């Protein structure tokens, strides 16, 4: 007698592979320990110490009494939030960001596309030439450009005498030029590395379809390197809010740059008074603003990418 086979037979779940035990746990801990120790000592511990110091204040008994630290709660943060000079410095670095970063990332993308183009020859020379300014320390670059801007010692006296590059109206754009000169090559390498990761088959398929180099760059390469552009944008937000070297150097050669020109200059000047507790509160507020702007930028770019 023939037996009928059910039309649908429930398939048994595939056998789970045996769980592998992690071997050499001691070696893993040994390799990670140097990093973890340095990370805690030079990153987490200073952050925790700054947050701790921001909750204290200094009191004196009388005018010339002995100073002593007492718990002040959120008093230092109230002083920061009520300080118009601090928020003015935040506004200046945001203006600096708007004036600098679109041009910086735009040129970095353009140079990366040129280096990735088959039409450009001697790519190794141009790659080194674009990246070479990043090898110059920021302080040295600011001093060098400061000499070029100064009318008394500039090798271009006609330009320096007729255009006040160190005056209140143009000193920010003079610093924008210094920062862009240094960091365009750095961002270019990040974008160029992303371009190298594009599959060659994709480029060949676009070429066979009749797309020219401009069409390939616009429709294939730029969308493919969007994550790299987002990454460089986040780095730029963090770097702009931490702007310190260039205004510190320009402060010595231009009266338009004061001790409160940027938030980091204010922190440095406040700590030298010394008022370490207020400087710590400023640092914490600046870190929170940096994190907020960075995560907001990431969320906006992610929504546009998914949309």
């Amino acid at each position: 007698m023939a037996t009928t086979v059910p039309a649908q037979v429930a398939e048994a779940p595939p056998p789970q592979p045996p769980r592998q035990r992690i071997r050499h746990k001691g070696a893993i801990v040994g390799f990670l320990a140097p990093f973890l120790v340095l990370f805690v000592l030079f990153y987490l511990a200073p952050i925790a110490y700054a947050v701790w110091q921001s909750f204290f204040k200094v009191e004196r008994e009388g005018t010339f009494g002995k100073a002593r630290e007492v718990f002040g709660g959120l008093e230092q943060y109230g002083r920061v939030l009520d300080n118009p000079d601090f928020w003015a410095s935040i506004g200046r670095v945001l203006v600096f960001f708007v004036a600098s970063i679109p041009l910086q990332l735009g040129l970095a993308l353009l140079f990366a596309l040129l280096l990735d183009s088959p039409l450009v020859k001697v790519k190794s020379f141009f790659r080194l030439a674009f990246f070479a300014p990043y090898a110059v320390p920021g302080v040295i670059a600011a001093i060098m450009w400061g000499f070029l801007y100064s009318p008394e010692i500039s090798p271009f006296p006609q330009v320096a005498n007729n255009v006040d590059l160190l005056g209140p109206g143009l000193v920010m754009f003079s610093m924008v030029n210094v920062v862009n000169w240094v960091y365009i090559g750095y961002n270019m390498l990040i974008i160029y590395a992303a371009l190298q990761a594009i599959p060659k088959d994709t480029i060949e398929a676009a070429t066979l379809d009749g797309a020219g180099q401009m069409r390939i760059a616009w429709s294939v390469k730029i969308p493919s390197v969007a994550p790299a552009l987002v990454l460089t944008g986040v780095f730029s937000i963090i770097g702009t809010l931490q702007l310190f070297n260039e205004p510190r150097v320009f402060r010595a050669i231009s009266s338009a740059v004061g001790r409160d020109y940027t938030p980091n200059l204010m922190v440095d000047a406040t700590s030298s008074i010394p008022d370490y507790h207020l400087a710590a509160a400023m640092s914490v507020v600046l870190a929170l603003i940096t994190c907020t702007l960075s995560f907001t930028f990431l969320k906006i770019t992610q929504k546009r990418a998914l949309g």
Side-chain angles (χ1 to χ4, degrees), residues 137-139 142 183 242-251 265:
V139 174
Y183 286 100
Q242 293 179 348
L243 190 66
F244 180 77
N245 290 331
E246 290 77 12
R248 181 65 181 269
V249 173
F250 273 66
R251 185 184 171 192
L265 276 181

Side-chain angles (χ1 to χ4, degrees), residues 65-117:
K66 183 179 180 180
R68 58 190 181 93
E69 291 185 355
V70 297
F71 184 76
L74 299 177
E75 180 178 336
Q76 301 295 349
Y77 291 98
R79 293 175 61 188
V80 175
L81 297 178
D82 292 337
N83 190 339
D85 294 334
F86 178 79
W87 294 109
S89 67
I90 293 290
R92 276 189 288 270
V93 294
L94 292 179
V95 173
F96 188 97
F97 178 86
V98 173
S100 172
I101 302 310
L103 178 63
Q104 182 183 136
L105 297 186
L107 290 177
L109 175 62
L110 176 62
F111 293 158
L113 291 172
L114 289 175
L115 289 178
D116 193 60
S117 173

